[in-house]
Amino acid sequence: MGRIMQTKRHTATFVLAGLASALLFGAATPASKALLGGIQAQALAGLLYLGAALGVLPVMIRERTFQWPWRSGRSTFLLLIGAIVLGGILGPLLLLLGLKAASSGSVSLWLNLEFVATVILGHFVFREHLAPRGWIAAAGTLIAAVLLAGDEAGGGFLPVVLIASGCLCWGFDNHFTALIDGISPAQTTLWKGVIAGAFNLLVGSAAAGGIGRPAGMLLALLVGAVSYGLSITLYVSAAQGLGATRSQMVFSAAPFFGLLLSVTALGETLTGAQAVAAGIMVISLMVLFSEKHAHVHRHDAMTHQHRHRHDGGHHDHAHEKSGAAMSHAHWHKHAPQEHAHDHWPDLHHRHAHDNDDEPPPFDD
């Protein structure tokens, strides 16, 4: 019973982190729409991600666990490269190109397509088990996205293609970052921000013949630090605790936050279809988190680094210093272990199942 209560508390913590990430990221769409008036799209993408790198520097300093990614294992290095190219360079560039040609509200709502891409990739490519209730929740989110896209279809066909392509890139990025365990989430965000941001800024400024006014540049860096840096760090933490698919379901609230800010800040109209879609999203999330997944499973021996606690049944290594009961990150080893408990497809539970049937849940 105690372990079940701990699992629920940890789940609630990761859900709150995902919602905070969604709010901050949702604010980036209307803010970026305003900034596009004075900064070229690719240069703005670079400034936003350089701001993201600046936003995670305090976290990096506090962690004191810096690790060069090429020394953290081949898997970590390749996953990070994929996250940089798809999530840091192509994703934001495609988003801003679409945003330049469409309204902020429309783009905010089309970002629900990122969730659909993450779900499809999670099930068919990355071996995430999704029970029937999870599929129902995913279907509800897709219905809401289609309803909203139909209601906010202004801007023509090209912006939809650009946003959908960007969402596909971020779908891969979501899974890549959820699998990275050789460096911390803050370090992942730092490398993505520095490398992808510098690339887009240099290419974009060269194409436009300049970046823009200093005031606009500083504002873009600030938006990046908050809406990308802090938001991405919170999201990666949620993804490592809930799995990429489920954390993306929580993060799919970001378009609604973006729509709300577009209405209040930019004067766009809130429609009845948007209100109905919001209700569908709430019901979908309720269905999702009513799901229980528990069965006997085996953990192979492994060594990795990620943020963890010592009260979840998977981390029993000793510490010389006090404070191990708090959340912390460092390199640690796992001995082989076989047990059963409620779990998510996180870093320790990305095992496959023999069939698509949901294993029977344990009683509380």
Side-chain angles (χ1 to χ4, degrees):
M1 185 67 176
R3 177 171 293 179
I4 292 174
M5 293 299 296
Q6 290 174 354
T7 300
K8 290 181 177 179
R9 286 196 298 269
H10 292 169
T11 298
T13 299
F14 291 127
V15 170
L16 290 176
L19 287 174
S21 173
L23 173 60
L24 295 177
F25 186 76
T29 302
S32 298
K33 181 67 174 179
L35 289 168
L36 279 170
I39 305 176
Q40 190 260 5
Q42 190 167 9
L44 178 57
L47 288 170
L48 290 173
Y49 268 68
L50 285 173
L54 293 174
V56 299
L57 277 179
V59 180
M60 290 279 299
I61 295 172
R62 187 171 64 250
E63 282 185 350
R64 299 179 181 178
T65 57
F66 182 78
Q67 177 79 14
W68 295 107
W70 50 85
R71 296 180 178 177
S72 301
R74 183 172 179 268
S75 175
T76 290
F77 186 57
L78 293 177
L79 288 169
L80 180 60
I81 290 176
I84 290 172
V85 173
L86 294 178
I89 296 177
L90 294 178
L93 174 58
L94 291 166
L95 166 64
L96 292 176
L97 289 174
L99 181 60
K100 190 173 183 179
S103 69
S104 174
S106 295
V107 173
S108 294
L109 299 172
W110 287 329
L111 287 177
N112 277 297
L113 296 173
E114 181 182 347
F115 160 70
V116 178
T118 304
V119 167
I120 293 174
L121 292 170
H123 183 74
F124 292 105
V125 178
F126 292 94
R127 298 174 57 199
E128 280 202 6
H129 180 76
L130 198 61
R133 294 186 185 183
W135 281 112
I136 292 173
T141 304
L142 178 59
I143 291 172
V146 172
L147 177 62
L148 290 168
D151 187 58
E152 295 284 345
F157 182 71
L158 180 59
V160 180
V161 174
L162 291 170
I163 300 301
S165 299
C167 289
L168 179 62
C169 291
W170 273 322
F172 276 104
D173 178 37
N174 292 332
H175 287 284
F176 290 161
T177 53
L179 287 168
I180 291 174
D181 62 357
I183 57 177
S184 69
Q187 293 178 56
T188 300
T189 304
L190 178 71
W191 286 109
K192 186 189 297 184
V194 170
I195 298 175
F199 178 87
N200 275 336
L201 179 60
L202 290 174
V203 175
S205 60
I211 301 176
R213 295 181 178 180
M217 294 171 56
L218 291 175
L219 185 57
L221 289 172
L222 178 61
V223 172
V226 175
S227 294
Y228 283 81
L230 182 56
S231 174
I232 292 172
T233 301
L234 289 170
Y235 173 77
V236 173
S237 297
Q240 290 184 341
L242 299 176
T245 298
R246 290 167 176 83
S247 61
Q248 187 58 39
M249 288 180 178
V250 178
F251 190 76
S252 62
F256 294 97
F257 289 128
L259 174 63
L260 179 62
L261 292 171
S262 296
V263 170
T264 57
L266 303 181
E268 298 182 3
T269 303
L270 179 65
T271 68
Q274 293 163 0
V276 172
I280 295 175
M281 179 66 69
V282 170
I283 294 173
S284 297
L285 290 174
M286 291 175 63
V287 170
L288 168 68
F289 288 101
S290 68
E291 172 191 330
K292 290 185 177 181
H293 181 75
H295 60 98
V296 176
H297 55 276
R298 178 177 174 79
H299 300 276
D300 295 328
M302 66 184 304
T303 301
H304 63 174
Q305 175 186 228
H306 65 97
R307 186 156 293 277
H308 62 278
R309 296 169 60 96
H310 283 243
D311 53 3
H314 295 95
H315 300 90
D316 55 1
H317 50 267
H319 284 269
E320 295 180 359
K321 298 180 180 180
S322 60
M326 306 298 293
S327 178
H328 58 285
H330 61 90
W331 282 97
H332 56 277
K333 294 182 179 180
H334 290 274
Q337 184 181 25
E338 184 172 306
H339 60 180
H341 63 91
D342 291 343
H343 60 273
W344 302 93
D346 55 22
L347 283 172
H348 299 99
H349 300 95
R350 281 186 170 261
H351 46 264
H353 294 272
D354 293 334
N355 54 61
D356 292 331
D357 296 330
E358 172 70 357
F362 292 119
D363 295 331
D364 290 345

